[in-house]
Amino acid sequence: MIPLTLRQVAETVGGTLHAVPDPDLVVTAPPEHDSRKVVPGGLFLAVPGERTDGRAHAASAHAAGAVATLASDPLDVPTVVLGEGPYPTPPEESKRLALAAVAALAKANAEALVAQGLTIVGVTGSSGKTSTKDLLAQVLATKGSTVGPPGSYNNELGHPWTVLRAGPESVFLVLELAARGIGHIAALARIARPRIGVVLGVGSAHLGEFGSRENIAIAKGELVEALPSAEDGGVAVLNADDPLVLAMAARTKARVVRYGMSESAEIRAADVRVDALARPRFTLITPQGEAPVELQVHGEHQAHNALAAAAVALECGLSVAQTAEALSRARAASPRRMQVTERADGAVVINDSYNANPESMRAGLRALVDMADNSGGVSWAVLGPMGELGEDSIALHDQLGRYAVRLSVKRLLVVGDSRSAKALHTGAVLEGSWSGEAELVSDWSQAARIVADELGPRDVVLVKASQSEGLWQVAESLTNVVEGRADVAGSGLV
């Protein structure tokens, strides 16, 4: 974050100073919305949440070294007051004011840093955003100081929070932009306008909220609409293998670069294959030349994500050889996303439990089968429901169950008693899982117990569901290995 005095902070967010002894005190660290993470010289953003109201934690943030709190109300600590009363401000209005303030600070920060040469890259798509962002941030870091969000900080709070992590030393800022409705990505892009925008794909994630894939495409395309013109350096990196993404070329004034497996893509891969742990190897083909890539992340779909990262890297001045080398060194950086652990007994657990949609589920299942085929062990899929699919949810879960059988997944445990979980299980049974290969279990602990009791030394387990299902507990119980097997007692199982 660029240095600002408290007076400048108040001016930027349209607030007033309360109980501030020195308005010219310089803020040396960006805002934190968790009082436990405040550092000396920083700001505390008092946001009301589902479980607690940040205003109640201002004193502890001040004790931790916060020079002031951004809040809707005047508090008993130095405060940049965002509201005009009457006080106390209702929680919903307090939250709105806090989010508007952090957005205003982030916008000012981004504009100042872009004027100093910062390159902002935005990444969106129905799936693969976090994995691609992680690859890209690591590749760009080989050329200059790079800021990217930890995990999926991609909403109206996490996005500006990330922008404020960029400072005068930053060369690149990589942002992940998510949407739950039309207009959301446009709003995020106004906070920090990207010069380069990447659209990975239009899938079924949040289909229940958008109503159709066409509406999802409208929302995702807001990123390329926000880019500068080609004359001003704007670049739209589009997935050549997705017609809905490719059509976004008509919606931008930026120069278009296509990536993918298609022959029409400027940045593409040839001879894609995977090793024993489903790590892709391929030849990166570009207009500037070719180079071999050996990814350290898992799943053939990661080759596609790597191509998107490569396209951006080349636009940012890396050579083909530098890009390929950096991609080959990059590691999975966000937890519970194709996180592969080899146990002491040789069994492998794939923790991909952070989130799930039909496209990422299929990608995870393909990686599972690839790895189990190479190891010679049994492929286990522990799956839970996918959220936010709307009226198509039952059909999509049924199709997923059938897909698992067609891939020859050997054991399928479906967790939960919802209609969606039952549809997933029923689809597998009707497709050909007639001898108990597919089993419907009540909760994560039952699933973990079954796998722990039966897992063989060469078996591979995929754990995947929407985050709200809590299936990460299955993966983490299985990877807490004691004397060659999962220590389920340490995870609260009996």
Side-chain angles (χ1 to χ4, degrees), residues 33 99 149-150 152-163 175-176:
H33 53 87
L99 292 176
S152 295
Y153 275 48
N154 56 24
N155 61 13
E156 68 273 23
L157 179 56
H159 180 81
W161 181 93
T162 303
V163 174
L175 297 171
E176 181 180 332

Side-chain angles (χ1 to χ4, degrees), residues 12-354:
T12 301
V13 303
T16 57
L17 298 177
H18 166 77
V20 173
D22 182 5
D24 293 318
L25 184 64
V26 177
V27 177
T28 58
E32 289 287 357
H33 53 87
D34 184 337
S35 61
R36 296 166 297 182
K37 296 179 180 179
V38 168
V39 298
L43 293 169
F44 176 56
L45 182 66
V47 186
E50 293 181 3
R51 291 185 293 272
T52 185
D53 191 320
R55 290 173 289 187
H57 300 280
S60 60
H62 184 70
V67 296
T69 292
L70 298 174
S72 58
D73 305 63
L75 303 174
D76 294 333
V77 297
T79 310
V80 179
V81 181
L82 309 173
E84 298 179 351
Y87 306 119
T89 307
E92 281 302 313
E93 176 64 6
S94 179
K95 181 178 181 179
R96 184 192 70 79
L97 289 167
L99 292 176
V102 74
L105 273 178
K107 188 173 190 295
N109 194 59
E111 290 174 349
L113 294 176
V114 167
Q116 298 175 19
L118 177 73
T119 294
I120 300 178
V121 182
V123 180
T124 195
S126 293
S127 60
K129 294 185 295 296
T130 300
S131 296
T132 302
K133 171 267 299 177
D134 287 342
L135 289 173
L136 179 55
Q138 292 177 74
V139 171
L140 292 180
T142 65
K143 187 172 179 64
S145 178
T146 301
V147 173
S152 295
Y153 275 48
N154 56 24
N155 61 13
E156 68 273 23
L157 179 56
H159 180 81
W161 181 93
T162 303
V163 174
L164 288 164
R165 264 63 205 159
E169 74 289 348
S170 304
V171 179
F172 302 106
L173 172 60
V174 180
L175 297 171
E176 181 180 332
L177 291 82
R180 292 181 180 274
I182 292 172
H184 289 181
I185 288 177
L188 296 179
R190 285 193 293 271
I191 293 172
R193 188 186 188 192
R195 182 176 72 80
I196 302 174
V198 183
V199 184
L200 301 171
V202 176
S204 305
H206 307 302
L207 189 59
E209 295 174 330
F210 285 95
S212 69
R213 291 183 73 238
E214 289 71 22
N215 283 342
I216 296 173
I218 290 172
K220 301 301 181 185
E222 291 168 3
L223 176 58
V224 302
E225 292 175 342
L227 299 174
S229 67
E231 292 75 19
D232 291 329
V235 181
V237 177
L238 301 180
N239 179 357
D241 302 328
D242 187 327
L244 288 175
V245 174
L246 202 54
M248 294 176 192
R251 296 171 57 184
T252 185
K253 296 179 181 179
R255 178 167 56 86
V256 173
V257 174
R258 296 175 293 271
Y259 77 92
M261 304 300 169
S262 169
E263 291 288 337
S264 66
E266 291 95 338
I267 312 299
R268 59 189 180 88
D271 190 26
V272 180
R273 59 208 182 279
V274 296
D275 70 2
L277 290 176
R279 294 174 296 197
R281 279 81 177 98
F282 60 91
T283 300
L284 173 64
I285 300 176
T286 81
Q288 294 84 24
E290 303 179 2
V293 175
E294 297 187 354
L295 295 176
Q296 302 306 308
V297 291
H298 306 268
E300 187 175 352
H301 62 287
Q302 297 282 13
H304 218 274
N305 295 336
L307 290 176
V312 176
L314 294 170
E315 292 296 328
C316 290
L318 277 77
S319 69
V320 177
Q322 289 170 330
T323 299
E325 182 181 357
L327 281 171
S328 298
R329 290 202 308 264
R331 304 277 177 169
S334 297
R336 301 174 188 168
R337 295 169 180 83
M338 292 303 292
Q339 183 178 346
V340 175
T341 302
E342 187 171 0
R343 303 185 349 156
D345 63 356
V348 173
V349 178
I350 309 170
N351 184 352
D352 198 27
S353 60
Y354 185 82

Side-chain angles (χ1 to χ4, degrees), residues 362-438:
R362 284 175 167 79
L365 288 170
R366 290 194 297 270
L368 164 68
V369 172
D370 284 341
M371 292 169 69
D373 285 349
N374 276 293
S375 72
V378 173
S379 53
W380 290 76
V382 182
L383 307 181
M386 303 172 285
E388 302 170 349
L389 295 178
E391 61 185 17
D392 293 327
S393 180
I394 301 303
L396 290 170
H397 281 86
D398 175 90
Q399 292 167 16
L400 181 64
R402 295 172 186 273
Y403 185 76
V405 173
R406 292 170 191 163
L407 283 180
S408 298
V409 172
K410 301 305 181 185
R411 291 292 308 274
L412 172 63
L413 299 182
V414 182
V415 181
D417 57 3
S418 67
R419 292 180 62 215
S420 296
K422 292 174 181 176
L424 200 166
H425 176 255
T426 299
V429 172
L430 293 177
E431 187 65 26
S433 179
W434 302 322
S435 302
E437 302 94 338

